[in-house]
Amino acid sequence: MLAADRDRLTIATFASGGRALLPPALSRFVADHPGVELTILEREPEDSLPLVREGRADLALAYHFDGPPPARPGDRSGLDWAPLISDPLRVVLPHANPHARRRSIHLAELAGERWVLGCMKTLDLLRHYADLAGFELRISCGATDYLFAQSLVGAGVGIALIPSIALTQADDLVAIPLEPPSPCRFIGIATSRRRRGPAQPYLDALRCLLMSATT
């Protein structure tokens, strides 16, 4: 074990990633390095990535939707990006919905449904795929929490598009894959390219644990 009487790591993470992906890695990290003081910040990527870039966080568990990652080799972001997992979005329906027994479904078949947003960032994403499918969205609620959104689906308010790692185990709900073209969330680890210091071995250890926990 490394000597770490005063060593600290600050980790920024979005909520569903922190709930689903961090605990297994952190459990092993704490067991291996009990002297390291951990600070966990709940932040969305638009806030967590600047924290890493500015040196106020050592690591960010972050995501992006369709398109390029937030950092690429040779760009000027000052960040390194290590992809962890692809997190496909699923359509969440109440059991009473006529489509609930489907193994997969095309978004165009849901044109008549009302939608509950579990994150306002998914609005533009869902609108883009709805445009591709040829219909206009009807929104019942713009929530900021995937668990809340799924409870509204269970109450019959509408249906929702939820990332796989944010799905709840609810007897009154089903989660169905979308047929292509379908949206996906890509989760990864952001660290600073420039920052090196006494905590670097611990940062490397935590990054390895996160990557091994998702493979």
Side-chain angles (χ1 to χ4, degrees), residues 106-213:
H106 195 282
L107 195 63
E109 298 177 78
L110 303 170
E113 301 284 350
R114 292 185 65 83
W115 291 83
V116 175
L117 299 176
C119 170
M120 289 305 295
K121 280 187 243 175
T122 61
L123 175 58
D124 289 341
L125 185 74
L126 182 54
R127 183 175 285 140
H128 169 71
Y129 281 90
D131 287 344
L132 292 178
F135 69 91
E136 185 174 344
L137 286 177
R138 300 163 62 222
I139 305 295
S140 290
C141 177
T144 58
D145 180 86
Y146 288 122
L147 298 179
F148 177 40
Q150 289 171 89
S151 70
L152 293 179
V153 173
V157 173
I159 67 174
L161 197 63
I162 305 291
S164 295
I165 67 167
L167 292 171
T168 59
Q169 299 296 322
D171 293 337
D172 57 343
L173 300 177
V174 294
I176 301 176
L178 280 171
E179 295 171 7
S182 56
C184 188
R185 187 169 73 164
F186 302 93
I187 298 173
I189 301 168
T191 52
S192 173
R193 282 190 198 140
R194 303 181 184 91
R195 193 174 182 221
R196 295 291 185 271
Q200 188 65 40
Y202 306 112
L203 178 58
D204 293 341
L206 179 57
R207 182 166 46 192
C208 288
L209 287 172
L210 280 166
M211 296 188 76
S212 64

